[in-house]
Amino acid sequence: AAEEEGTGVGVVMLPWEAPGLSADVRARMRALSQNRAAFLSPPPPSASSPAFEFDLDASVAVVLEALSVDKHLERQRHTLVPRAVSEEAFFSHYFAHLHALATGAAPPPPASSAASSTT
């Protein structure tokens, strides 16, 4: 049994796996990594959602798990860090957008070329 504390070993729950989310919200959260803008700036502040705090050091296990299961996320990171945004800002913005979607504070995504390809 792996009982090494602080090593990040164990089950990691990704934001879109949280209980209580609708299928639509889960799908929007999963699709977020295909939206380049989600990594370049945080979501607009919302009166209905408290400020989102992200600590990269404390979130390494979630970040690594997300990168391992989401190839779009991995591709965006390779493309944008460090040329367009720092690694910390990249993940901070991404997880802030996920948080906004999960709490219902995010508006529906703008109609884009990806919107017409829902299957």
Side-chain angles (χ1 to χ4, degrees), residues 5-92:
E5 294 204 28
T7 61
V9 175
V11 177
V12 175
M13 182 181 291
L14 294 166
W16 52 82
E17 296 173 334
L21 298 174
S22 70
D24 178 58
V25 168
R26 287 180 202 277
R28 288 173 56 198
M29 290 173 81
R30 292 298 305 262
L32 185 65
S33 63
Q34 298 173 48
N35 181 356
R36 186 175 190 263
F39 303 100
L40 299 177
S41 62
S46 166
S48 63
S49 179
F52 177 76
E53 298 288 329
F54 180 77
D55 180 350
L56 183 60
D57 293 333
S59 305
V60 168
V62 173
V63 165
L64 292 176
E65 182 69 14
L67 285 168
S68 75
V69 301
D70 188 340
K71 296 307 169 199
H72 294 290
L73 179 61
E74 186 179 31
R75 223 172 284 129
Q76 294 280 14
R77 179 178 175 232
H78 179 73
T79 301
L80 299 174
V81 176
R83 276 174 251 145
V85 66
S86 73
E87 184 161 57
E88 188 161 357
F90 175 89
F91 286 111
S92 178

